[in-house]
Amino acid sequence: MQSLGGRSLDWVDGAVLMVDQTRLPDSYETLRIESVPDMVAAIRRLSVRGAPAIGVAGALGVVLAMQAHGTSGEGLDSAVAFLRQARPTAVNLARMVDRVAALAGQGIDRALREALRIRDEEIAASISMGEYGADLVLELVNKPSARAMTICNTGGLATIERGTALAVIQTLHERGSLAEALALETRPLLQGARLTTWELGRMGAPHRLLVDSAAPFMLARRQADVVLTGADRVAANGDTANKIGTFSLALGARNAGVPFIVVAPESTLDFETPDGQSIPIEDRDGDEVVSVRTATTAPENTRAANPAFDITPVSLITAIVTDRRVVRLDRGDNLDSVPLGELRSPHAEL
């Protein structure tokens, strides 16, 4: 089995190699994806997940489609459409598929360069979000170290390296400014319990795991200084789609007076979608709710609702942090009023 080092997926010897996130934390296994049907299956079963990561997966999937069908024709068009529709809520997937597919006529080498450029952009964005976000957290909490609560998994597994919200937590930890990370388990698929705690452990960050329903109460008891979440899509008005449970977390944060910060790259902002009501919400199989991995948790034939995402209205969000700016919604900023800045790195001041 090949190791990807610190990356969640990459292009290796003419195929996509990715960490199989369904196997974590029990075992670290990689998948070699050589066809579009296998890529779509991996995206749908959440072997690869997180808006930036599936955007990169989709971009590389177009290259796989070109290897199978050439640079034009019905076969390529069908494969590209299949990729775009693998998951509907995260805007990155369709956007990055389209970006690479638009170059198909220039040949497979040109398409591959563009897909790898998208990969590298997401890596740089993760580093920059960590810097912008850590500065904002310390400004808002006005303490030398912060207790940060987060939901789902927003680390390198969800991007390519480091992450979005978890990149902020990692940067705080590297600066010696993280008192503790509080990770929600994130039912029904336990991305927080399985993946976020795995990543926090690997980075050596102090952390505790809590059940989703405990989060608002712990916020009310002042057990966290800030809430950091990712986003699968940010609408033009600032409404945000993220993992189910994020809306409840935002309500709890507002009640407790705790800053609620959304961390997402510019590639996740969707100015063609006016507001949260216009974001499609993926409904997943109810079997995910009535069982945990291989263990059944409800009586046979129990029906279940399973929305994978919810919408947090802009009115509940303190700030949106991207790789190029901080939009302070609590001060009256919006996505149109704050200009893009520079990508940041830990050594930008040197």
Side-chain angles (χ1 to χ4, degrees):
M1 179 183 67
Q2 290 178 272
S3 173
L4 284 164
R7 294 183 177 178
S8 61
L9 65 90
D10 213 341
W11 183 261
V12 180
D13 297 331
V16 178
L17 196 67
M18 66 173 64
V19 177
D20 186 352
Q21 297 184 39
T22 67
R23 300 292 186 179
L24 293 171
D26 301 325
S27 62
Y28 178 97
E29 299 181 22
T30 56
L31 298 172
R32 183 174 172 85
I33 305 296
E34 299 180 334
S35 71
V36 168
D38 285 348
M39 177 64 80
V40 170
I43 292 171
R44 287 179 173 170
R45 70 172 174 264
L46 307 185
S47 289
V48 56
R49 40 147 299 282
I54 65 173
V56 176
L60 292 169
V62 175
V63 181
L64 296 178
M66 293 174 66
Q67 288 182 163
H69 302 288
T71 59
S72 64
E74 183 177 344
L76 178 63
D77 292 344
S78 296
V80 168
F82 193 35
L83 280 167
R84 288 183 94 260
Q85 298 163 5
R87 295 194 74 191
T89 300
V91 70
N92 298 61
L93 176 59
R95 178 173 288 167
M96 299 313 173
V97 166
D98 290 347
R99 180 171 154 183
V100 177
L103 300 174
Q106 299 182 35
I108 193 167
D109 290 342
R110 177 66 182 90
L112 177 58
R113 287 199 304 273
E114 190 69 14
L116 295 178
R117 181 180 178 183
I118 290 169
R119 176 203 63 188
D120 293 343
E121 288 172 356
E122 295 296 356
I123 293 171
S126 289
I127 295 169
S128 188
M129 283 183 284
E131 294 295 315
Y132 277 115
D135 286 351
L136 177 63
V137 167
L138 295 176
E139 175 187 343
L140 288 172
V141 305
N142 196 28
K143 296 178 180 179
S145 62
R147 299 166 299 172
M149 184 178 289
T150 191
I151 186 170
C152 198
N153 172 259
T154 59
L157 291 170
T159 57
I160 300 298
E161 296 178 5
R162 296 183 75 87
T164 58
L166 206 62
V168 177
I169 290 173
Q170 182 171 349
T171 302
L172 288 168
H173 174 59
E174 291 167 350
R175 293 182 183 183
S177 298
L178 178 70
E180 183 179 42
L182 295 165
L184 274 63
E185 62 173 358
T186 320
R187 282 281 289 141
L189 296 179
L190 302 174
Q191 292 98 327
R194 295 188 302 105
L195 306 179
T196 298
T197 57
W198 183 79
E199 291 197 282
L200 287 166
R202 283 165 64 92
M203 70 177 75
H207 63 278
R208 286 186 291 168
L209 179 68
L210 60 149
V211 298
D212 299 354
S213 54
F217 180 68
M218 292 190 72
L219 288 168
R221 288 290 182 95
R222 299 295 189 270
Q223 296 297 300
D225 302 305
V226 65
V227 176
L228 294 163
T229 80
D232 287 82
R233 188 185 303 225
V234 179
N237 74 332
D239 291 348
T240 299
N242 196 51
K243 181 56 58 183
I244 191 73
T246 305
F247 178 41
S248 301
L249 193 54
L251 289 170
R254 174 56 57 90
N255 178 74
V258 172
F260 183 92
I261 300 172
V262 173
V263 187
E266 290 287 332
S267 62
T268 302
L269 275 53
D270 181 9
F271 291 98
E272 296 181 2
T273 298
D275 53 39
Q277 293 298 316
S278 305
I279 298 175
I281 298 298
E282 176 186 0
D283 287 308
R284 293 184 62 82
D285 195 319
D287 287 348
E288 294 177 348
V289 177
V290 298
S291 62
V292 176
R293 307 191 86 175
T294 59
T296 301
T297 59
E300 188 177 358
N301 298 322
T302 297
R303 298 175 62 203
N306 189 17
F309 303 94
D310 58 27
I311 304 295
T312 298
V314 63
S315 60
L316 295 178
I317 301 171
T318 305
I320 296 172
V321 173
T322 80
D323 47 311
R324 293 186 178 270
R325 54 182 167 160
V326 174
V327 182
R328 288 291 300 271
L329 302 166
D330 60 334
R331 293 181 175 174
D333 291 349
N334 59 56
L335 293 172
D336 290 326
S337 68
V338 179
L340 296 180
E342 297 297 322
L343 281 171
R344 290 186 55 190
S345 73
H347 308 295
E349 70 279 2
L350 299 179

